Amino acid sequence: MTTRDDMKAFATACEARAVVTARPPTGYVQAALARWTGDAAAAAAPVLHIQRRWDDLFWPHARAGFFQLKEHIPIVLKQLRIATPGPSP
């Protein structure tokens, strides 16, 4: 298990000016990063979360299983300006 001290030591050893990670929506990684960034004195470098527009648009619909998300796929693809195939022959 990685601890806050492990993460600080790694960032310090790498002379990191920032730690960049995909935004963890839930789970162990989210909790660990929240603990690390919550204590500014313990953080060797700021943690920056990145998130794709794709994720920004899909995540709000991914709360009640795939079938609810499935209904929103064409809408999100249109927002992303990604063409959707027409009906199969």
Side-chain angles (χ1 to χ4, degrees):
M1 178 184 298
T2 302
T3 67
R4 180 173 46 200
D5 291 337
D6 293 334
M7 292 175 11
K8 179 181 178 182
F10 181 75
T12 301
C14 294
E15 298 180 8
R17 289 182 279 161
V19 174
V20 181
T21 179
R23 185 183 72 81
T26 187
Y28 170 76
V29 173
Q30 179 196 43
L33 288 173
R35 284 190 304 273
W36 191 37
T37 59
D39 182 359
V47 176
L48 308 173
H49 298 294
I50 58 172
Q51 184 162 310
R52 298 170 295 192
R53 178 158 162 71
W54 173 280
D55 295 320
D56 285 337
L57 295 171
F58 275 113
W59 267 104
H61 307 294
R63 301 212 181 274
F66 177 73
F67 293 104
Q68 178 140 354
L69 172 64
K70 182 181 174 184
E71 294 175 13
H72 291 90
I73 290 173
I75 298 164
V76 172
L77 292 178
K78 188 174 182 178
Q79 289 175 305
L80 291 168
R81 293 186 167 87
I82 297 174
T84 57
S88 299

